[in-house]
């Protein structure tokens, strides 16, 4: 059951991604050769107009095939459309992933509430208490950055904090107050703490639900970009990456844990995973790397600036080389995931 749930989550996210390419291609009058759900051999299929719609044997996502790397004479061929139309089609996939994350964020926040950074408890003699933080205070800024969700503070402590005092702005009794807090290292938990507890998820009105849904997607995008930056700066290594196998295991583990608390908890847990993975996929696909949507967009941006398209042979060669490297990386990450499971 765990594996089926994980496959369904991946399937939904990838199909929505491909649907973004498909719908915007159709909107721009671009020929779509095939739109399929799943991969591998075709189980059933039917041609409607110029497009062959099919369901494949392997339930892993889907594909939208438009002949991007082909030179065709037809007026509605992908490469015969304007550079702006092609850019819109390529951007459509990641954009639909952000839309999916936003829609599911509305569902989650509507059902469980938003994690407003309001403090519910301050441990006595803790760094926070000594600095003047009290129960009921709301965090506004941490290290000069605005806080809208409590998790932003948690992520800051985990990803950004490197020692010393933290400048924090709080709202206390209706007035803003600037303080400095020096976290203490907790050996048992293996992390720096300031001694506060938050209020938990709180119900908000319809407009605030929409606002916090935008902020949720923005937070996931920010964390993904931060992770990429840490990889580039070597604060994280390739060994810290997790691929489909690792994600399937984690999703399965969380499904098992959530099942003990009933359907609602299971539903919210799985939907949160859709938000996280969908936003992550949207960002990663927009990175200017060969074989990704961002790599294709980079070539189109060059064409838009120079007025001259990069040779299709050259672009195809770059994307093929990038795909090979990407597949090698995926194999390595998959191997790591499998090793971790049996360690």
């Amino acid at each position: 059951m765990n594996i089926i749930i994980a496959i369904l989550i991946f399937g939904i996210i990838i199909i929505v991604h491909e649907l973004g390419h498909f719908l915007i291609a159709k909107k721009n009058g671009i020929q779509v050769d095939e739109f399929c759900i799943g991969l591998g051999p075709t189980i059933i299929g039917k041609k409607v107009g110029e497009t062959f719609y099919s369901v494949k044997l392997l339930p892993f996502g889907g594909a939208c095939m438009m002949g991007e790397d082909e030179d065709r004479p037809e007026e509605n061929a992908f490469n015969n459309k304007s550079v702006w139309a092609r850019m819109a089609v390529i951007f459509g996939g990641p954009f639909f992933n952000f839309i999916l994350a936003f829609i599911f964020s509305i569902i989650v926040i509507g059902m469980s509430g938003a994690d407003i950074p309001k403090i519910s408890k301050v441990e006595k003699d803790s760094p926070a208490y000594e600095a003047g933080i009290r129960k009921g205070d709301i965090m506004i800024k941490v290290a000069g950055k605005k806080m809208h969700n409590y998790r932003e503070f948690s992520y800051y402590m985990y990803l950004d904090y490197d020692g010393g005092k933290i400048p924090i702005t709080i709202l206390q009794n209706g007035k803003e107050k600037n303080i400095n807090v020096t976290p203490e290292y907790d050996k048992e938990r293996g992390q720096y703490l300031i001694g506060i507890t938050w209020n938990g998820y709180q119900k908000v009105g319809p407009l605030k639900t929409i606002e916090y849904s935008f902020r949720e997607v923005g937070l996931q995008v920010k964390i993904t970009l931060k992770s990429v930056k840490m990889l580039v700066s070597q604060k994280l290594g390739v060994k810290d990456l997790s691929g489909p196998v690792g994600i399937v295991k984690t999703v399965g583990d969380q499904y098992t844990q959530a099942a003990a608390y009933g359907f609602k908890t299971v539903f919210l847990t799985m939907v949160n995973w859709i938000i996280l993975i969908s936003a992550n996929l949207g960002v990663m696909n927009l990175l200017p790397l060969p074989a990704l949507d961002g790599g294709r967009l980079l070539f189109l941006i060059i064409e838009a600036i120079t007025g001259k398209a990069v040779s299709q042979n050259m672009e195809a060669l770059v994307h093929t080389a990038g795909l090979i490297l990407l597949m090698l990386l995926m194999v390595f990450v998959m191997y790591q995931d499998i090793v971790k499971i049996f360690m």
Side-chain angles (χ1 to χ4, degrees), residues 266-333:
V266 170
F267 177 77
L268 290 173
T269 302
M270 296 302 103
V271 170
N272 268 310
W273 269 103
I274 291 176
I275 295 167
L276 188 153
I277 298 172
S278 192
N280 190 284
L281 180 64
V283 173
M284 298 303 289
N285 252 290
L286 286 174
L287 295 178
L289 300 174
L292 300 179
D293 289 333
R296 291 191 178 277
L297 276 173
L298 179 60
F299 281 104
L300 291 171
I301 290 169
I302 293 171
E303 180 180 343
I305 294 172
T306 63
K308 184 178 179 181
V310 177
S311 163
Q312 285 185 9
N313 289 335
M314 173 61 72
E315 184 175 349
L317 182 65
V318 170
H319 289 315
T320 301
L323 182 61
I324 292 170
L325 291 174
L326 186 62
M327 294 302 292
L328 289 172
L329 176 61
M330 287 181 66
V331 169
F332 176 72
V333 172

Side-chain angles (χ1 to χ4, degrees), residues 29 166 188 226 250 262 322:
I166 305 174
E188 289 185 10
K226 178 67 179 178
T250 305

Side-chain angles (χ1 to χ4, degrees), residues 193-209:
L193 302 171
I194 66 171
I196 60 173
T197 305
W198 68 299
N199 264 344
Y201 290 90
Q202 300 176 53
K203 289 283 188 177
V204 292
L207 291 179
K208 282 291 182 181
T209 296

Side-chain angles (χ1 to χ4, degrees), residues 39-319:
L39 299 173
T42 300
I43 299 174
I44 57 171
K46 184 178 181 180
K47 190 166 186 178
V48 179
E50 63 187 17
T51 305
F52 182 70
Y53 299 88
S54 63
V55 176
K56 305 287 188 179
L57 179 64
L58 303 174
F60 303 115
C64 177
M65 303 172 201
M66 300 172 288
E68 301 98 312
D69 297 320
E70 299 175 21
D71 188 10
R72 297 180 177 181
E74 297 92 347
E75 186 180 340
N76 64 349
F78 180 84
N79 287 308
N80 291 334
K81 291 294 182 176
S82 72
V83 66
W84 303 108
R86 284 176 280 148
M87 287 173 71
V89 172
I90 297 302
F91 181 73
F95 181 63
F96 267 51
N97 281 130
F98 296 135
I99 291 176
L100 179 67
F102 172 68
I103 291 171
F104 277 106
S105 292
I106 290 177
I107 293 171
V108 170
I109 293 170
M111 290 178 67
S112 61
D115 61 331
I116 298 168
K118 187 174 183 179
I119 298 162
S120 63
K121 182 181 177 182
V122 183
E123 295 176 16
K124 285 198 173 182
D125 301 324
S126 67
Y129 189 87
E130 295 296 330
I133 297 177
R134 296 295 182 264
K135 176 183 176 180
D137 292 352
I138 298 173
M139 283 189 179
I140 298 175
K141 290 182 182 179
V142 173
K145 297 177 182 178
K146 286 188 176 181
M147 294 286 116
H148 303 287
N149 304 81
Y150 182 80
R151 280 169 299 150
E152 289 180 284
F153 176 69
S154 300
Y155 286 134
Y156 169 81
M157 292 299 297
Y158 182 70
L159 298 174
D160 292 317
Y161 180 68
D162 56 2
K165 294 181 179 180
I166 305 174
I168 297 177
T169 302
I170 58 172
L171 187 65
Q172 189 175 79
N173 299 322
K175 295 181 181 179
E176 288 191 16
K177 183 178 178 181
N178 296 313
I179 58 174
N180 289 302
V181 183
T182 304
E184 292 179 349
Y185 187 73
D186 188 308
K187 291 182 180 179
E188 289 185 10
R189 299 184 186 180
Q191 61 186 105
Y192 284 94
L193 302 171
I194 66 171
I196 60 173
T197 305
W198 68 299
N199 264 344
Y201 290 90
Q202 300 176 53
K203 289 283 188 177
V204 292
L207 291 179
K208 282 291 182 181
T209 296
I210 293 172
E211 177 190 335
Y212 274 98
S213 297
F214 274 114
R215 296 198 185 284
E216 179 63 32
V217 177
L219 177 59
Q220 297 301 338
V221 168
K222 188 191 300 184
I223 295 303
T224 304
L225 289 173
K226 178 67 179 178
S227 300
V228 171
K229 183 180 177 182
M230 291 176 73
L231 277 169
V232 172
S233 64
Q234 297 184 335
K235 289 183 179 179
L236 290 176
V238 178
K239 290 184 177 180
D240 296 307
L241 295 176
S242 188
V245 173
I247 294 173
V248 166
K249 183 182 183 303
T250 305
V251 170
D253 290 345
Q254 292 207 2
Y255 170 83
T256 302
Q257 293 170 13
Y261 298 95
F263 174 78
K264 182 180 177 181
T265 303
V266 170
F267 177 77
L268 290 173
T269 302
M270 296 302 103
V271 170
N272 268 310
W273 269 103
I274 291 176
I275 295 167
L276 188 153
I277 298 172
S278 192
N280 190 284
L281 180 64
V283 173
M284 298 303 289
N285 252 290
L286 286 174
L287 295 178
L289 300 174
L292 300 179
D293 289 333
R296 291 191 178 277
L297 276 173
L298 179 60
F299 281 104
L300 291 171
I301 290 169
I302 293 171
E303 180 180 343
I305 294 172
T306 63
K308 184 178 179 181
V310 177
S311 163
Q312 285 185 9
N313 289 335
M314 173 61 72
E315 184 175 349
L317 182 65
V318 170
H319 289 315

